Amino acid sequence: MTGSETVGLLALETPFDGALSLDPLVVAVIFAMAVVTVVAKTGGIWLVRRVDVSDRVQAGLDVLPGAIVIAILGPELAAGGPAEWGGAAVVLVVMWRTKSILLALCAGVAAVVAFRAVV
Amino acid sequence: MEQTQRGESPRESDATSGERGEEPTEPESEPVTFGLSGLRAGFLTCVPIAFGVAGYGVAFGVLASQAGLSVAEATLMSATVFAGAAQIIAVELWTEPIPIAALVVTTFAVNLRYSLMGAALQPWLGRLSPTKIYSSLCLMADENWALTMREFRAGNGRGAFLLGSGIALWLFWVVSTILGTVAGGSVGDPNRYGVDFILVAVFVALVVELWDGRSTLAPWIVALATSVVAAELLSGQWYILLGGLTAALLEVIRHDG
């Protein structure tokens, strides 16, 4: 272990000393992250509002919501196991039958916790 | 912000919202309002989910303090950046000296999916003033995007829903960050309580809402195949962007075909 790492560890042991400290460079980096995040969040709608959207492009935009949801879910579930797949199935069925998102979420999360304990 | 800009028949759409008919395909026909009722509905609907998100806020706070950020710095990041995945990745990259370019570029890349998600809300949000659109979008996260999409498609044109649900998420995110940085490592793994499954569950529920008959099948299969392959081949979250874009592109090509 090098000297500088030891100093770092010692500093961590008394975290409340610097709890309210704001390093100017750290603040600048955080603001830069905030700016690019706002650009990312608003950029898409900004563009769509500027350009003239043809019927053809509109047809593409119409399928975006479902496509994004599937694109987020697919790899997430592929990386999961039987417990996650079972939980997803529970959400699907409860949502389909009751149309209540809160009920579906509670049932799904409870099912995952239960399945993980068993599997 | 309290006035509502209602059309000729403000609550007309409520009567049909229970029936899954043609209303989602023609959002232009519904008036979009921006008032306290939408703000409150968004906030209240999102609170249970925000409670789960707070599990990640605590995790972020713990990681941030381990990376050497002070309570004030971590809280400032949660309050201004407000993007869970990007923030957690950022504090994992955080070293001394600070890799500024890598942090900023990674944050942008991880959050680029929000461009697509925001654009998907244009049919409804587009009829509000720019101030309302862009301030709402600043508080957009995966969870409240999903809830808002659901709300809009159900025929309730309450434009303030995104902002209200975003405020709920923001409050829980900031407070849980403070808890995490102060509590340090004494908090257990939030995944033990199934917190990591909440986001998946929200999106599975949304799949039920977004299913619109067989016309939905082709773009969804394309999105699924592209995203699963891209997630295998590429690092980061490019697979979301690629999955959404290829499905949209297919639809653009197929149009009138």
Side-chain angles (χ1 to χ4, degrees):
Chain A
M1 183 176 281
T2 66
S4 63
E5 274 173 323
T6 316
V7 171
L9 283 173
L10 285 174
L12 271 183
E13 280 171 33
T14 53
F16 290 103
D17 279 354
L20 296 178
S21 72
L22 285 169
D23 184 293
L25 179 64
V26 172
V27 172
V29 172
I30 290 172
F31 277 134
M33 288 170 62
V35 168
V36 295
T37 301
V38 167
V39 170
K41 284 183 179 178
T42 57
I45 210 166
W46 184 86
L47 200 69
V48 174
R49 285 165 61 79
R50 285 295 165 297
V51 297
D52 218 7
V53 177
S54 65
D55 282 358
R56 188 173 275 273
V57 172
Q58 188 59 49
L61 289 177
D62 286 343
V63 302
L64 264 188
I68 294 170
V69 170
I70 294 293
I72 290 173
L73 270 182
E76 188 82 36
L77 287 176
E84 286 75 24
W85 303 335
V90 168
V91 176
L92 207 64
V93 170
V94 175
M95 191 66 196
W96 196 273
R97 306 302 298 179
T98 68
K99 293 274 181 287
S100 158
I101 190 154
L102 192 57
L103 209 61
L105 291 185
C106 291
V109 171
V112 157
V113 173
F115 290 154
R116 281 177 184 166
V118 175
V119 177
Chain B
M1 224 161 60
E2 294 188 24
Q3 88 283 11
T4 57
Q5 302 136 351
R6 287 183 171 163
E8 59 285 359
S9 49
R11 299 255 60 92
E12 167 197 56
S13 51
D14 275 1
T16 55
S17 61
E19 193 75 61
R20 292 167 50 78
E22 292 138 30
E23 75 275 9
T25 57
E26 283 201 323
E28 289 80 10
S29 59
E30 303 146 12
V32 173
T33 63
F34 196 93
L36 266 185
S37 111
L39 202 68
R40 190 189 299 117
F43 187 91
L44 294 178
T45 308
C46 201
V47 161
I49 290 158
F51 202 75
V53 168
Y56 284 109
V58 171
F60 166 73
V62 171
L63 290 171
S65 68
Q66 283 169 358
L69 271 75
S70 71
V71 176
E73 288 161 350
T75 309
L76 182 72
M77 192 192 285
S78 280
T80 60
V81 179
F82 187 56
Q87 284 179 238
I88 289 175
I89 292 167
V91 291
E92 279 172 5
L93 290 174
W94 205 280
T95 48
E96 202 62 51
I98 302 171
I100 300 170
L103 281 172
V104 175
V105 170
T106 305
T107 303
F108 185 65
V110 172
N111 288 331
L112 207 51
R113 69 182 186 284
Y114 287 127
S115 279
L116 226 50
M117 295 162 85
L121 293 175
Q122 160 71 9
W124 299 276
L125 283 189
R127 280 174 286 158
L128 301 173
S129 73
T131 317
K132 286 167 185 162
I133 297 172
Y134 295 118
S135 59
S136 298
L137 284 174
C138 286
L139 290 185
M140 177 176 70
D142 298 300
E143 290 83 1
N144 66 330
W145 175 80
L147 291 178
T148 305
M149 184 54 81
R150 174 174 183 269
E151 168 80 5
F152 284 159
R153 287 183 57 96
N156 305 322
R158 295 187 289 195
F161 193 94
L162 182 63
L163 186 62
S165 51
I167 290 170
L169 284 177
W170 187 89
L171 282 175
F172 276 80
W173 182 243
V174 171
V175 170
S176 61
T177 298
I178 299 172
L179 286 179
T181 43
V182 173
S186 59
V187 192
D189 179 10
N191 289 356
R192 231 182 336 152
Y193 314 107
V195 164
D196 58 318
F197 191 71
I198 293 176
L199 188 61
V200 177
V202 170
F203 279 97
V204 171
L206 194 61
V207 161
V208 177
E209 310 261 354
L210 289 174
W211 177 254
D212 198 24
R214 288 194 51 190
S215 65
T216 325
L217 199 58
W220 284 20
I221 289 173
V222 171
L224 180 67
T226 313
S227 61
V228 170
V229 171
E232 282 292 315
L233 300 179
L234 305 170
S235 63
Q237 300 194 322
W238 293 108
Y239 63 91
I240 300 173
L241 215 58
L242 284 172
L245 280 178
T246 42
L249 200 64
L250 169 91
E251 211 57 26
V252 169
I253 294 167
R254 280 198 332 163
H255 190 66
D256 289 336

